[in-house]
Amino acid sequence: MAEYVRRALASLPLPWTADTFAYVLRSIIAATLALWLGFELQLDSPFSAASTVLLLVHPVQGAVVGKGFNRMVGTLIGVTAAFILLGMFAQQMLLFIFGVGLWLGLCVAAMTLLRHYQATAAVVAGYTVCLALGPAIVAPEQGFDHIVTRGTAVVVGVFSLSLIATLGSRKTIDHKLLNALVDVSARAAHQLADRFTNEETPELAARRAQLSMDIGKVDELLGIGWGESVLIRTRLPVIQTGLAQLQSAVMDIRLDDHDAPGWLLNRISKPLRHLGEALADRTVDFTTAADRVKQAMSALENEETVGGLRADAALTALGVERLREQLADLHAALHSFSSLERNTQARQTVKGFHRNYQDAARNGLRALGATLVAGAVWYLSGWNQGPTLLAVLGPCCTLSAAAPDPVQGIIGFIKGTFYATLAALVCKFLLMPAINGFPLLVVMLALFWSFGIHATTRPRQALIGIAYLIAFNTLVSTGATAHYDFADFVNQALAWFVAMGICLLAFNIVPKKPQHTVQALKRSLLHATRRLLHRADTLNHRRWQAQQQHRIVALKSLLGAHRQGDYEAGYLSLQLSRELARLQHHTRRLPPGSPIARCAATANRRLTRSTHHTAIGAAQARRAAKSMQRLGAEQWAARYRNLAWLLERYENATTAIT
């Protein structure tokens, strides 16, 4: 027993270090301000304002402001839903609990589908109802007061933390985002140069996959920077467009004999390699880098005209066209990133993100089931801690569902609550009776808060720290007059563990399985390609490509950068989109009613009918190529042969996956 206690104490984080001292101090000051305002405003539970601060603490100022704003939005939505549920189901306990569970499930599902701090609003809207309506089920006549108190505590906490963070924090995301953009842009230039001059090797493919994932991670920095920097907030769509264009350039795979001539690729790769080195050394900015890529595109056009590329084989001309598109994507990405350096805007906004609706439905059903189980325990036992069950269950379900390993997340919650119970026991029954006045109360609380705040700086201990802070504040909370009821303390602490046990049971019955997410992503890649083949003439190809890129990056994050066979179908689908977009563009330029236009229209109809059978689609494309060759349109014949080759490779890749 002594050894177990020693290990448990050894696993506790330090209260602060030299690196985290300023962050811990700011958080304590913000929590103190919220607690003082709670007492001054005579809130029923002034500690709930401090709990709001401790739930929102983050070392980065942008995360604090962004989470705080969206938390207020979510609280407003949750308070509105609470008023509606109170008006519909007052004094009808079973329907009340079902309504709370249904709302929580919808909010958790929305959290799964939304991105960045928009998900925070959905999370808060869900568990605000649990926190506000638990007491209202017991005493409906006091429901209005409970809801208003909950909303006021959140506003006070958000205001306190945002004020202290704004005054005491340094803005760090601007510089960090700029460094990340420079890094991925330089690596993208090197990657293109290597791909133009070298054979496709597993090492080169793995580097490309890792670069794709790193480009995707930059978008997470944009989410944090949204709350910190006005510049990032105003340029957000432009930079997201640039990231999608950079992904497009990186994910464009070589098509062997369908590429531009080798001597031309070697000539283009040299300035790209120099550009990557210049970006990495910071000797050029994004505007200058974009101008250099534009010069390379101009040189390519001169080579095409002077060097007689148009007199070469039609297939070679298509390879040159593809090379021009890759350089255009890189130029557009660098031009978009230059908006951080000067007032420039992107010509086109590209937004497309994969949303896993199956995972969202699973998370929502799990939250609904956990709420109903907690309601059943409350209803059948008549336990007076039913409101605590709902209040703990809401945050536990939502925060755990967002974790990579929810079961380990809940175990972390249990550990944090266990530490909080011991700390609250010492604080409330040994220390608090011996002090008097607000200053001494703050000094004592700060000592205990510092452990949990410091833990939030460590990713592996973040959930433990959050659970510790919220459980500790809840268990030691008091109003203007302190009450020391040991039986009530034990009863409330037991309710915390029962609620987390119910949540753990829900995640074991309806587990979060990574393989389900992998299969869902693969199915989404296949279904999106079928939609592309069926609606190629009406589809927004840029938006479709951005969604497909996001799916591929998410799949790489789950499987790793070295399993190229799982991503080949996704890469080929992007190539198909490019090829179909080219066909669509050139078809519009044909004289209406001409033999070539009629042949192209017939080929497109036949390709649309073979959406679910890409092998048949490849045969139809070869048939169209022969028809075009009979008409003397050699370049059109080459385009359809290229499309047939892509469809055949895609059929082989999807067969290997399925």
Side-chain angles (χ1 to χ4, degrees):
M1 183 64 182
E3 180 65 18
Y4 176 78
V5 173
R6 187 188 64 78
R7 290 181 180 179
L9 293 176
S11 65
L12 284 172
L14 297 173
W16 54 73
T17 62
D19 295 332
T20 62
F21 178 78
Y23 161 63
V24 173
L25 182 61
R26 287 195 307 270
S27 302
I28 290 174
I29 293 173
T32 301
L33 176 60
L35 184 61
W36 178 78
L37 289 174
F39 279 115
E40 289 296 315
L41 294 174
Q42 298 182 1
L43 297 179
D44 292 341
S45 181
F47 274 74
S48 60
S51 297
T52 299
V53 171
L54 298 174
L55 187 61
L56 290 173
V57 291
H58 197 281
V60 180
Q61 183 194 113
V64 171
V65 177
K67 287 171 69 175
F69 173 78
N70 285 277
R71 185 176 174 84
M72 291 181 65
V73 172
T75 301
L76 180 61
I77 296 172
V79 165
T80 304
F83 278 124
I84 294 173
L85 290 172
L86 182 65
M88 293 175 62
F89 303 126
Q91 298 180 348
Q92 300 179 47
M93 181 177 180
L94 295 179
L95 291 177
F96 218 146
I97 292 174
F98 180 79
V100 171
L102 184 62
W103 174 256
L104 180 63
L106 290 173
C107 290
V108 174
M111 172 206 70
T112 310
L113 299 176
L114 296 174
R115 292 172 54 79
H116 300 320
Y117 296 135
Q118 295 175 344
T120 301
V123 169
V124 175
Y127 66 69
T128 293
V129 170
C130 296
L131 294 171
L133 289 184
I137 297 176
V138 179
E141 68 280 0
Q142 299 177 6
F144 180 84
D145 294 335
H146 288 301
I147 295 172
V148 172
T149 298
R150 176 61 190 167
T152 305
V154 171
V155 172
V156 169
V158 170
F159 167 77
S160 302
L161 184 58
S162 300
L163 177 63
I164 300 302
T166 303
L167 295 177
S169 301
R170 292 182 301 169
K171 293 185 177 182
T172 58
I173 293 300
D174 280 349
H175 185 66
K176 193 172 182 180
L177 175 63
L178 188 61
N179 288 341
L181 290 175
V182 169
D183 176 63
V184 295
S185 299
R187 289 164 60 192
H190 279 294
Q191 188 80 9
L192 289 175
D194 291 340
R195 197 185 319 159
F196 291 158
T197 55
N198 300 321
E199 295 290 333
E200 181 77 5
T201 61
E203 181 184 358
L204 186 62
R207 284 169 48 200
R208 180 182 63 202
Q210 185 60 51
L211 177 57
S212 297
M213 289 190 288
D214 291 341
I215 294 173
K217 292 176 183 177
V218 177
D219 189 61
E220 301 300 323
L221 285 178
L222 289 175
I224 297 176
W226 180 90
E228 179 180 291
S229 170
V230 176
L231 179 63
I232 295 176
R233 187 157 55 246
T234 55
R235 301 291 191 270
L236 185 64
V238 180
I239 300 173
Q240 286 180 330
T241 298
L243 290 174
Q245 290 162 336
L246 193 64
Q247 285 279 26
S248 181
V250 169
M251 289 187 176
D252 193 24
I253 59 176
R254 290 191 63 170
L255 301 183
D256 302 326
D257 295 337
H258 301 68
D259 272 329
W263 61 268
L264 183 59
L265 292 174
N266 289 329
R267 186 170 299 181
I268 294 295
S269 67
K270 187 175 180 180
L272 284 178
R273 187 168 283 108
H274 290 326
L275 177 63
E277 293 172 355
L279 279 170
D281 296 338
R282 302 296 182 90
T283 56
V284 299
D285 57 8
F286 285 122
T287 304
T288 306
D291 291 339
R292 289 192 182 182
V293 176
K294 192 172 183 179
Q295 291 172 6
M297 294 169 61
S298 301
L300 177 63
E301 292 176 359
N302 293 334
E303 292 285 356
E304 186 176 2
T305 303
V306 177
L309 288 178
R310 291 183 180 178
D312 290 346
L315 202 57
T316 300
L318 293 182
V320 174
E321 188 176 8
R322 289 187 60 247
L323 177 58
R324 189 186 301 113
E325 286 182 355
Q326 285 179 275
L327 293 176
D329 282 333
L330 180 60
H331 170 264
L334 294 172
H335 179 69
S336 297
F337 299 156
S338 68
S339 63
L340 290 173
E341 301 168 340
R342 60 186 65 185
N343 188 15
T344 57
Q345 297 293 328
R347 298 178 182 176
Q348 181 183 8
T349 299
V350 178
K351 285 186 179 181
F353 302 104
H354 170 70
R355 305 187 190 277
N356 192 340
Y357 292 98
Q358 292 182 350
D359 197 24
R362 191 178 299 111
N363 286 340
L365 289 174
R366 186 190 301 116
L368 172 60
T371 306
L372 295 180
V373 171
V377 171
W378 182 10
Y379 181 78
L380 295 175
S381 66
W383 195 9
N384 65 348
Q385 290 297 320
T388 304
L389 289 177
L390 292 182
V392 176
L393 190 72
C396 189
C397 272
T398 51
L399 295 176
S400 299
D405 189 345
V407 173
Q408 290 300 318
I410 298 173
I411 293 175
F413 262 92
I414 295 174
K415 288 181 179 178
T417 304
F418 174 73
Y419 297 143
T421 303
L422 297 179
L425 184 65
V426 172
C427 178
K428 189 164 188 176
F429 295 100
L430 294 181
L431 301 180
M432 285 183 70
I435 65 170
N436 187 23
F438 185 77
L440 288 178
L441 175 65
V442 169
V443 171
M444 181 191 64
L445 292 175
L447 176 63
F448 290 95
W449 285 342
S450 58
F451 287 94
I453 295 171
H454 178 76
T456 60
T457 63
R458 301 181 177 184
R460 292 185 178 180
Q461 297 176 338
L463 286 178
I464 297 177
I466 291 173
Y468 168 84
L469 290 169
I470 304 306
F472 173 80
N473 247 31
T474 303
L475 293 174
V476 302
S477 64
T478 180
T481 303
H483 296 281
Y484 305 105
D485 189 339
F486 183 76
D488 182 70
F489 176 90
V490 173
N491 204 19
Q492 192 175 11
L494 179 61
W496 272 78
F497 288 102
V498 171
M500 289 183 290
I502 292 172
C503 193
L504 184 62
L505 177 65
F507 273 98
N508 279 285
I509 294 176
V510 187
K512 181 179 181 179
K513 296 182 178 179
Q515 60 267 32
H516 289 173
T517 305
V518 169
Q519 293 302 323
L521 285 169
K522 290 182 178 180
R523 285 195 299 269
S524 298
L525 287 170
L526 298 178
H527 293 163
T529 307
R530 290 174 183 171
R531 185 163 57 91
L532 166 72
L533 297 174
H534 184 66
R535 298 175 49 198
D537 54 341
T538 60
L539 203 66
N540 183 336
H541 286 269
R542 279 293 186 185
R543 181 180 178 84
W544 183 92
Q545 288 171 13
Q547 289 176 327
Q548 202 77 332
Q549 290 166 9
H550 188 247
R551 295 184 183 105
I552 296 172
V553 172
L555 193 59
K556 289 176 182 176
S557 300
L558 290 170
L559 297 179
H562 298 282
R563 295 179 57 173
Q564 297 302 312
D566 294 298
Y567 319 134
E568 186 179 4
Y571 286 133
L572 289 169
S573 69
L574 294 174
Q575 297 298 107
L576 283 169
S577 174
R578 285 176 175 270
E579 194 64 35
L580 291 170
R582 289 190 208 104
L583 281 171
Q584 179 184 343
H585 171 72
H586 290 294
T587 301
R588 291 198 191 102
R589 301 172 63 181
L590 289 172
S594 64
I596 296 178
R598 290 197 300 270
C599 183
T602 301
N604 291 340
R605 284 197 302 271
R606 290 171 178 169
L607 286 170
T608 302
R609 294 194 195 105
S610 58
T611 298
H612 296 278
H613 304 282
T614 48
I616 298 176
Q620 295 291 358
R622 294 200 179 279
R623 180 180 178 184
K626 292 178 181 177
S627 299
M628 289 292 185
Q629 198 165 14
R630 285 194 297 268
L631 292 173
E634 183 59 35
Q635 195 160 357
W636 278 93
R639 287 194 179 99
Y640 279 104
R641 283 197 296 270
N642 196 16
L643 179 61
W645 184 82
L646 281 171
L647 288 170
E648 287 172 351
R649 280 195 63 179
Y650 180 78
E651 173 69 18
N652 294 334
T654 52
T655 301
I657 292 177
T658 55

